[in-house]
Amino acid sequence: MSAAAFTEAEITEKWENYKTEFGKNYSDEKEEQMRKKIFTETLLSIEEHNKKFERGEVTFSMGINNFSDQTPEERARSRGFRLPSIEKK
């Protein structure tokens, strides 16, 4: 997956629109940058998936939602799931 699907300006515009649409505010610049990185990875994943949808390789399309700036663990917790922990022996 490559960020070449979007320019940096397009990603920034999508990020700003996302924050406005979903009322996102972050505690500091470090958290905002982390969330933007997650959002960008999610955006690129969605773009890749939707290209497969357009080619008929998958049966559903995907889109940005209020969870698009969250880690997989955070998304699972917000839906009431707990991911199994990996114990080191």
Side-chain angles (χ1 to χ4, degrees):
M1 198 168 9
S2 167
F6 299 102
T7 65
E8 186 59 37
E10 289 171 323
I11 290 171
T12 297
E13 181 180 3
K14 289 177 183 298
W15 171 242
E16 294 301 326
N17 290 339
Y18 170 76
K19 291 189 305 179
T20 299
E21 181 177 350
F22 294 102
K24 297 290 186 163
N25 295 295
Y26 304 99
S27 60
D28 57 32
E29 184 63 24
K30 183 178 177 182
E31 181 184 10
E32 174 141 359
Q33 290 307 310
M34 179 194 75
R35 298 296 176 182
K36 183 179 180 185
K37 181 176 187 279
I38 294 168
F39 171 83
T40 301
E41 291 166 357
T42 302
L43 178 66
L44 295 173
S45 178
I46 290 169
E47 181 74 5
E48 185 176 288
H49 175 89
N50 287 345
K51 286 180 182 178
K52 291 178 183 177
F53 175 73
E54 291 169 6
R55 294 190 301 262
E57 297 173 12
V58 295
T59 59
F60 62 96
S61 64
M62 296 172 60
I64 294 295
N65 62 35
N66 61 317
F67 301 113
S68 296
D69 66 342
Q70 294 182 356
T71 66
E73 295 80 13
E74 289 170 323
R75 288 191 303 264
R77 268 197 313 267
S78 67
R79 292 189 307 259
F81 297 110
R82 287 183 34 196
L83 297 178
S85 62
I86 299 173
E87 294 182 30
K88 295 182 180 179
K89 296 183 179 183

